Amino acid sequence: MKSLTVLIRAELEIPDDWELVEHPSGMQVLKIGDQFVDFDIAPLTTQSLAPDAEWSDADIDIVGEVLDTVVGVDAELEIQPLQ
């Protein structure tokens, strides 16, 4: 068995009324209106070798197989004003 580390960093430009809050579950999440948003890993697949291949999570068997191998996920959220 091997260990794979996946580091994903995304930057979003969000409206001023979206905010970071502490959810009762203890997680820091994004609050949009009355909805709470967390970020998670979402594996995407394709069988195409084409440069413009379409990637999706539609193959639930392989996506499930990949997700079953996840032993930990950590999302760190931070809001900074645009300059």
Side-chain angles (χ1 to χ4, degrees):
M1 193 63 78
K2 299 182 268 187
S3 175
L4 170 67
T5 300
V6 178
L7 177 61
I8 300 173
R9 180 175 168 86
E11 186 172 320
L12 293 72
E13 291 186 358
I14 63 172
D16 289 334
D17 60 335
W18 293 12
E19 60 183 326
L20 288 181
V21 299
E22 182 85 13
H23 187 268
S25 66
M27 299 182 343
Q28 185 181 39
V29 297
L30 187 60
K31 188 167 190 298
I32 304 173
D34 63 352
Q35 295 287 321
F36 299 97
V37 178
D38 187 26
F39 294 85
D40 202 347
I41 185 171
L44 304 175
T45 67
T46 190
Q47 291 184 328
S48 172
L49 292 174
D52 60 348
E54 183 176 322
W55 294 81
S56 79
D57 60 357
D59 186 336
I60 59 172
D61 291 332
I62 192 72
V63 168
E65 187 176 343
V66 171
L67 289 177
D68 285 347
T69 68
V70 175
V71 294
V73 174
D74 184 32
E76 186 176 311
L77 307 177
E78 178 182 352
I79 292 180
Q80 296 184 8
L82 291 177
Q83 303 201 8

